[in-house]
Structures are given as structure tokens and as C-alpha cells.
Amino acid sequence: MSWIGKMVGGTLGFALGGPVGAILGGVFGHAFDTKEERALSGGGPTLLSPEEEAQMTFFVAGFSMLAKLAAVDGRVTKEEMEAVQRFMAQDLSMTEKNQQVAFRIFRQAAASSNTFDQFARQFHERFADKPELLDLMLDILLRVSLADGHISPDEEALIQSAARIFQYSEAAYSRIKERYVKSSDSVYAVLKSERSNTDEEIKKQYRKLVSEFHPDKIASKGLPDEFTAFAAEKFREIHEAYETIRRERGF
């Protein structure tokens, strides 16, 4: 991702404020201007493109929320770090360099005074008009927290808080969780549907999700490259869930 190169090289003159900006300043060791400050100063080093800004926000806020999730009991265990490492390597296929940056962000966020909710609010402010990316973030939080097959009450309380900030109903959150807590209705949860839905309702919802999560479309929304691969896996899960239901119902 090009924004990481700009950060590492110290050539970036603008980044978001709020907790994301604070984490970036701590990780890369130099201050970042606001848009207003740049306007008053007459410019400065390289600006981020809108796409880079979106990628940076998703990347930093995402790993910061994972850090706060892991540290919810007061410490980050070796097992939790290994779960994040597997997520980076297996689910995101991240390069070694980008993994190192992600871990620096993770550690900075885990030790920071910023709260999980503050990161979730900034994420929501940036992506409120992109519900697919909000859905992906909840997916990521649940996938990593359930990597060992168990989610603690404290961890789930944080993820539920993110769901509320993202303006998800309890029923909508439950459907996302059911994707990972396997049951006979898990395939319906993948389609954000219920077993009681009609065949036509299932088909309509499938077409809607396939359109929203098509890799080409999701890549245009400012998602970091590595997370685009994660979205592509979600796209395959949607298709597989639909095929399972189609075979089961015989339509």
C-alpha cells in the first residue's frame, strides 16, 4: 500500500486527526497536520489521495480495534498475538513489511489511552456510507476473536458496542455472529437471511450481496489490498451458502 511507504519515508504531511492520527504519530514518530493547518501553512509534504486516506483509516482503525479487543482483559496473550499473526498471514496474505507495520500499530494502540469505542466511532464516521465495509469490519473482529473457538463475554461486549456504533440491530449482529458459531442456520446467516424466508426472498438477497461484495466493486471503495482478498473470500462464502440452500430447497 502506497500510504505505508509514505509513512515509513516520512514524506506524508497530512493524516486524519482523532485516535487514528494519534496512533500514526506514535508509530512513525512525527506529527501530522490537519487539513486546516495545511491550508494556513500553504501546503507541505505529500498529500494522501482519497483512496489512500480510506485505506489508511481502515488499516489503522482495524488493527487498533483488534488490539483493544485483545487487551480487554488487561493484557495481550501470546495466543492472541498468534491469532492476529495467522489472520495477517493466512486471511490477508500480508507481506512481511506490512505485517511489521500492522504489529507496530497493534502494539501502539494496545498501550494507548484511546478506547475501542473511539476507534469504532472514527471508523464509522469514515465509512458510514459504505455498509459493506462496516460489515467486513464486524466480520474481522469476530473471526479473530473466535480463532480459538471461544469468545469471552468481555470481547463480545466490545464487538457488540462496535455493532451499535455502526447502527446494527441486535438481530443483524446475531446473524453476523452465526456465520462463525456454526449451526444448521449458518448458511442463512451468511446471506443475512432467515430459514423462514421464501425462495424468492433468498434469491433477491443473494443477488444483492453478490453485487455489494463483488471483488471489483469492493476494491473501488478504498479497501486496502490485503483486505480486498478477505472480501473476496466473503464473496465465495456468499456463493457457497446460496448453493447449499438452493440444493437443500431444490430450486
Side-chain angles (χ1 to χ4, degrees), residues 19-36:
V20 167
I23 295 302
L24 285 167
V27 167
F28 293 98
H30 56 95
F32 299 97
D33 302 327
T34 65
K35 287 179 179 176
E36 292 76 13

Side-chain angles (χ1 to χ4, degrees), residues 117-136:
D117 282 3
Q118 287 175 316
F119 289 113
R121 288 191 189 97
Q122 189 168 8
F123 187 88
H124 181 254
E125 287 170 5
R126 181 61 183 80
F127 297 112
D129 62 338
K130 296 179 174 64
E132 304 93 327
L133 301 193
L134 301 178
D135 197 88
L136 278 175

Side-chain angles (χ1 to χ4, degrees), residues 52-201:
E52 288 173 327
E53 182 184 317
Q55 290 179 348
M56 180 188 67
T57 303
F58 194 103
F59 193 92
V60 178
F63 281 106
S64 295
M65 281 190 277
L66 286 174
K68 289 301 184 183
L69 192 65
V72 67
D73 59 357
R75 66 190 184 94
V76 180
T77 66
K78 177 183 177 183
E79 289 74 21
E80 287 166 331
M81 289 295 287
E82 289 174 347
V84 173
Q85 172 72 44
R86 287 194 300 274
F87 175 67
M88 290 180 188
Q90 298 175 13
D91 292 286
L92 305 184
S93 301
M94 290 177 67
T95 65
E96 185 66 29
K97 175 184 174 182
N98 287 356
Q99 286 187 46
Q100 290 172 3
V101 172
F103 269 123
R104 287 168 66 186
I105 291 168
F106 184 95
R107 295 188 183 97
Q108 183 74 23
S112 78
S113 60
N114 298 115
T115 67
F116 177 93
D117 282 3
Q118 287 175 316
F119 289 113
R121 288 191 189 97
Q122 189 168 8
F123 187 88
H124 181 254
E125 287 170 5
R126 181 61 183 80
F127 297 112
D129 62 338
K130 296 179 174 64
E132 304 93 327
L133 301 193
L134 301 178
D135 197 88
L136 278 175
M137 183 53 66
L138 290 178
D139 245 328
I140 288 164
L141 294 172
L142 280 164
R143 182 171 296 202
V144 175
S145 65
L146 283 163
D148 61 354
H150 170 74
I151 181 171
S152 74
D154 288 341
E155 288 173 332
E156 181 156 30
L158 284 187
I159 300 175
Q160 287 175 321
S161 180
R164 288 191 294 271
I165 290 169
F166 294 174
Q167 300 181 10
Y168 278 64
S169 66
E170 288 187 16
Y173 168 75
S174 295
R175 282 196 293 270
I176 294 175
K177 183 181 176 183
E178 284 171 9
R179 299 171 193 168
Y180 296 100
V181 181
K182 297 300 182 183
S183 70
S184 60
D185 287 336
S186 294
V187 288
Y188 288 92
V190 170
L191 295 184
K192 298 184 181 181
S193 301
E194 305 287 346
R195 186 174 287 275
S196 58
N197 289 142
T198 66
D199 291 351
E200 287 307 311
E201 288 171 331

